[in-house]
Amino acid sequence: MKKIGVKFFIGLLVGVLLGAGLCFLIYFLTVGDVAWKEYLENEIIPNAVVVLTAIGTIMIAAMPVISKISTAVNKFDRATKDVNSTVTDNWKNEQKIASLETRLDNIEMAAQNTEKIVRIGFCNSDELVKKGYAKEIAKVGQGDEKKVEN
């Protein structure tokens, strides 16, 4: 903040000095012979003091406002960064959730396939079919889990 204020003040001072120099040059070229000492003492120095005093007063009055604005801008920048990081984190979490859903779908399909394989294997065993166990195995997992007694 102080760097901006100092740069602004120096730039303003250089601008005023360049403008005053340009005015001298134009006046000198258009009027001709000038009593520089009297003109400098009576016109330039009092006006320059007034201008510099006014600029200094404005800078002193404006510094607290500029400081508050700078603080607000910094807070806004931090808030923007926080929001952007939250959005990025949310996107990463959504990707992880999608990946987990895909993995769960694969696991569910593998479990169903395993169940089908086991049912086929157990239900086609002659000994299990004769004793009635194949019927019990077929019922498990289908909502009807009552055991049939032999």
Side-chain angles (χ1 to χ4, degrees), residues 7 12-14 37 41 47 49 54 62 69 92-93 102 107 115-116 119 128 132-133 136-137 140 145 147-148:
K7 287 181 183 180
L12 194 58
L13 183 63
V14 169
K37 184 177 179 182
E41 289 175 356
N47 289 335
V49 168
I69 290 171
K92 289 177 183 176
N93 288 339
T102 303
I107 291 169
E115 183 180 343
K116 288 177 186 175
R119 283 180 191 273
L128 294 175
Y133 291 117
E136 290 292 321
I137 291 171
V140 175
E145 296 182 7
K147 288 187 178 181
V148 177

Side-chain angles (χ1 to χ4, degrees), residues 5 32 35 44-45 51 57 68-69 72 86 97 123 126 132-133 136 143:
I44 300 300
I45 292 178
V51 168
T57 304
K68 286 182 182 180
I69 290 171
T86 301
I97 290 171
C123 292
D126 290 337
Y133 291 117
E136 290 292 321

Side-chain angles (χ1 to χ4, degrees), residues 20-144:
L22 186 62
C23 290
F24 282 131
L25 182 64
I26 291 171
Y27 184 76
F28 179 70
L29 292 175
T30 57
V31 173
D33 194 21
V34 177
W36 286 106
K37 184 177 179 182
E38 291 175 19
Y39 185 69
L40 189 65
E41 289 175 356
N42 295 333
E43 296 291 327
I44 300 300
I45 292 178
N47 289 335
V49 168
V50 168
V51 168
L52 292 176
T53 304
I55 291 171
T57 304
I58 290 171
M59 289 297 294
I60 290 171
M63 289 305 277
V65 174
I66 293 171
S67 175
K68 286 182 182 180
I69 290 171
S70 176
T71 302
V73 167
N74 289 339
K75 287 181 181 179
F76 184 76
D77 287 343
R78 267 188 267 130
T80 302
K81 287 178 185 176
D82 289 345
V83 167
N84 289 340
S85 69
T86 301
V87 168
T88 303
D89 291 344
N90 187 37
W91 182 79
K92 289 177 183 176
N93 288 339
E94 287 177 1
Q95 295 298 321
K96 288 178 183 177
I97 290 171
S99 174
L100 287 175
E101 287 177 355
T102 303
R103 290 175 64 192
L104 286 175
D105 289 343
N106 291 339
I107 291 169
E108 185 178 331
M109 183 178 291
Q112 289 173 352
N113 289 340
T114 303
E115 183 180 343
K116 288 177 186 175
I117 291 168
V118 169
R119 283 180 191 273
I120 290 170
F122 283 129
C123 292
N124 287 322
S125 171
D126 290 337
E127 185 178 328
L128 294 175
V129 171
K130 288 178 186 174
K131 292 185 178 180
Y133 291 117
K135 188 175 182 182
E136 290 292 321
I137 291 171
K139 289 181 183 179
V140 175
Q142 295 179 353
D144 183 20

